[in-house]
Amino acid sequence: MRLTPEEESMASGAHGKAAEKAMDLLIRYANALGAERFVETDNVAGVPGSAPQWLKDQYSQDGGDYRAVFCKFDLDADDVFDIPAMTGNACHLQGGMDPELWREQGYSREAFENAQSDEKNTAALNVKNLKTCTPYLAGNEPKFGEHCAWMESSAVVYCNSVLGARTNTEGRESTSAAMITHRIPDWGFHRDEFRLGNHLVEVDVPVNNIFEWGMLGYYIGEIVQEEIPVIDGAISNAGLVELKHFGAAAASSGGVEMYHLVGVTPEAPTREKAFGGNQIKSRIRYGADERRRTYDNLNIRGRSTEVDYVMLGCPHAAIGQIEEAARLLDGKKLNDGTALWIFTSRYVKAEAQAKGYVDIIKQAGGLVMTDTCSAIAQSVPKGTKVVALDSAKQTHYLPAFLGIEAWFGTTEDCINAALTGKWRGELS
Ligand code: F3S
């Protein structure tokens, strides 16, 4: 590891105990990766210091508070010391509960108060409580080429692929340390040679909305796993929302952290540029058969067509998605016994509220929630047996986490299920 004088100084303790311990952790991490140096970062997204009460209880001998968790859990330190306020652009990703609708999510007052206390401590450290898996929709959109240190797989793949910024899928420890030091190992997606494609995907069926983009991502992720696909062919309408769903799906069926869409994403003006001289390891076709297989695969977890819960907003909904839900629900009422929860960021909910969408959804019987989602919170309306989803990522995780049945379809299929209580989605 080659350290700059400033990094040496942080590692020696000259910048305080927190910087010393954070550098120690990052040097161990960099050595394990085989990195030779650090890059500087001023865009870090993590979950610093936050913890449920049961985790804090493990540090009861050290005070069992936010500080103890930050030092011993996040920074892997032996003792507890002060954490200085962050001096750069640091934000908190999604958390475990909605700050207003936590009762509906089944949380106790004690859990709510613990979360509120963590939020105050995070804010006091100058970390922005964006509380979302889509920081790029909540005021944190990195610039092309910017070095970041982000957690959350769906955000990472968006950051690398769509924005052309650079991050690996970091963990809680490395992001908390990076917030203090502004350093992250120069490894993986920070380096040009790591960002080139190695699988070619040729799309033969039209892919043009979040339903189709989600299925394509799910199909590709299963095949390429953690490698980099270059996608070409019958793709269109590759907007923010579509790519949000595509990347999240590819990162859940596989571990895709970066992809290239020829002629669309910033590092793939041509097929040749996307591969940059890399050998093509495999040629993958996505046609009608593959599309059908993916749809059936996602719907393997659905049996009963009686739907008692509809969840939208994975990754957290953009304003256009909430507008669409409000339009489909306007003047209607949800089926008795079917709940609708739509998840988004606080930032987007405020806009949706101002535009009247939240009220329309509420009048129909649905709720717009922030900060979390059913998979992260492991929380669904009481008694849920069958859920309907428009997100391949949520379909991948939620039934596995909670042992419930799940249907995957279009947003319209899901809203119809919320209004009728019946699943009628099918592949056209
Ligand atoms: Fe976000 Fe939850 Fe999906 S945190 S990406 S809505 S699993």
Side-chain angles (χ1 to χ4, degrees):
M1 240 351 243
R2 289 195 305 273
L3 299 183
T4 64
E6 193 187 357
E7 289 159 2
E8 293 274 15
S9 165
M10 283 193 275
S12 73
H15 294 241
K17 193 78 185 264
E20 179 189 346
K21 290 296 172 189
M23 277 308 287
D24 176 61
L25 185 143
L26 288 170
I27 290 169
R28 284 186 279 144
Y29 175 39
N31 283 333
L33 293 171
E36 291 177 2
R37 56 188 285 271
F38 289 114
V39 288
E40 291 193 26
T41 176
D42 188 33
N43 194 324
V44 186
V47 291
S50 296
Q53 193 57 51
W54 63 262
L55 181 56
K56 287 183 176 153
D57 289 345
Q58 291 183 14
Y59 299 102
S60 53
Q61 286 185 330
D62 302 294
D65 57 2
Y66 182 89
R67 213 167 73 118
V69 171
F70 203 124
C71 295
K72 302 200 95 171
F73 191 76
D74 290 28
L75 297 183
D76 192 31
D78 295 328
D79 46 358
V80 177
F81 39 83
D82 285 342
I83 304 293
M86 309 304 166
T87 54
N89 178 19
C91 72
H92 194 299
L93 293 165
Q94 68 268 18
M97 74 181 73
D98 185 295
E100 289 161 16
L101 300 168
W102 50 274
R103 290 182 198 81
E104 286 78 352
Q105 292 174 341
Y107 284 103
S108 65
R109 175 158 289 280
E110 187 196 11
F112 167 67
E113 283 170 359
N114 176 53
Q116 287 293 295
S117 147
D118 280 351
E119 183 162 333
K120 281 199 195 94
N121 283 310
T122 310
L125 290 183
N126 203 23
V127 175
K128 294 180 199 82
N129 277 307
L130 298 187
K131 292 291 178 90
T132 179
C133 50
T134 56
Y136 48 90
L137 287 177
N140 183 6
E141 187 176 313
K143 289 190 279 302
F144 180 82
E146 183 174 356
H147 292 289
C148 304
W150 281 19
M151 290 174 67
E152 170 47 43
S153 64
S154 71
V156 164
V157 67
Y158 192 91
C159 180
N160 279 319
S161 315
V162 183
L163 302 177
R166 298 180 170 219
T167 181
N168 295 303
T169 306
E170 297 296 343
R172 173 183 179 133
E173 299 81 358
S174 58
T175 49
S176 289
M179 284 180 189
I180 295 169
T181 61
H182 301 280
R183 299 295 191 282
I184 202 74
D186 182 17
W187 182 86
F189 290 100
H190 293 286
R191 303 188 65 83
D192 291 346
E193 66 274 16
F194 206 85
R195 301 174 65 84
L196 299 169
N198 35 36
H199 296 268
L200 177 64
V201 183
E202 290 172 306
V203 178
D204 290 343
V205 283
V207 171
N208 51 15
N209 56 35
I210 66 161
F211 170 68
E212 300 289 349
W213 277 103
M215 287 200 292
L216 177 63
Y218 201 73
Y219 176 75
I220 292 173
E222 266 195 320
I223 297 176
V224 308
Q225 290 295 306
E226 292 175 356
E227 300 202 306
I228 302 178
V230 176
I231 298 115
D232 206 353
I235 49 171
S236 61
N237 200 18
L240 186 157
V241 172
E242 289 74 17
L243 298 186
K244 169 168 81 77
H245 278 249
F246 170 74
S252 54
S253 60
V256 174
E257 293 165 276
M258 180 157 190
Y259 59 82
H260 297 288
L261 302 179
V262 177
V264 177
T265 51
E267 290 167 68
T270 62
R271 212 184 255 201
E272 292 65 35
K273 283 262 187 221
F275 284 105
N278 258 4
Q279 215 179 352
I280 300 179
K281 285 191 186 172
S282 74
R283 284 174 182 269
I284 299 159
R285 180 178 176 272
Y286 184 75
D289 290 349
E290 290 79 12
R291 176 176 177 261
R292 160 58 66 186
R293 276 212 306 276
T294 306
Y295 181 80
D296 291 345
N297 191 12
L298 281 161
N299 279 300
I300 209 159
R301 303 160 184 95
R303 282 181 295 278
S304 166
T305 54
E306 305 291 320
V307 173
D308 34 38
Y309 174 40
V310 176
M311 191 210 119
L312 304 178
C314 171
H316 280 173
I319 188 69
Q321 293 177 284
I322 301 183
E323 179 184 7
E324 183 187 8
R327 182 174 50 75
L328 294 168
L329 290 164
D330 198 4
K332 299 177 183 154
K333 281 273 174 227
L334 298 191
N335 175 59
D336 256 358
T338 307
L340 169 67
W341 291 357
I342 303 175
F343 290 89
T344 189
S345 62
R346 299 173 181 189
Y347 188 91
V348 170
K349 183 173 177 181
E351 189 181 352
Q353 228 146 11
K355 291 186 166 163
Y357 306 147
V358 173
D359 284 343
I360 293 173
I361 292 165
K362 207 169 163 193
Q363 276 154 21
L367 294 173
V368 178
M369 296 183 165
T370 67
D371 290 31
T372 188
C373 74
S374 282
I376 288 289
Q378 304 213 356
S379 148
V380 292
K382 212 166 171 208
T384 294
K385 293 192 185 72
V386 183
V387 62
L389 303 158
D390 69 351
S391 158
K393 174 173 179 175
Q394 193 75 201
T395 308
H396 184 84
Y397 288 117
L398 194 57
F401 286 174
L402 298 183
I404 57 178
E405 293 181 35
W407 294 106
F408 167 78
T410 64
T411 306
E412 208 157 356
D413 290 338
C414 291
I415 298 274
N416 282 340
L419 291 170
T420 62
K422 301 264 181 250
W423 182 253
R424 296 207 179 88
E426 53 186 36
L427 192 64
S428 56

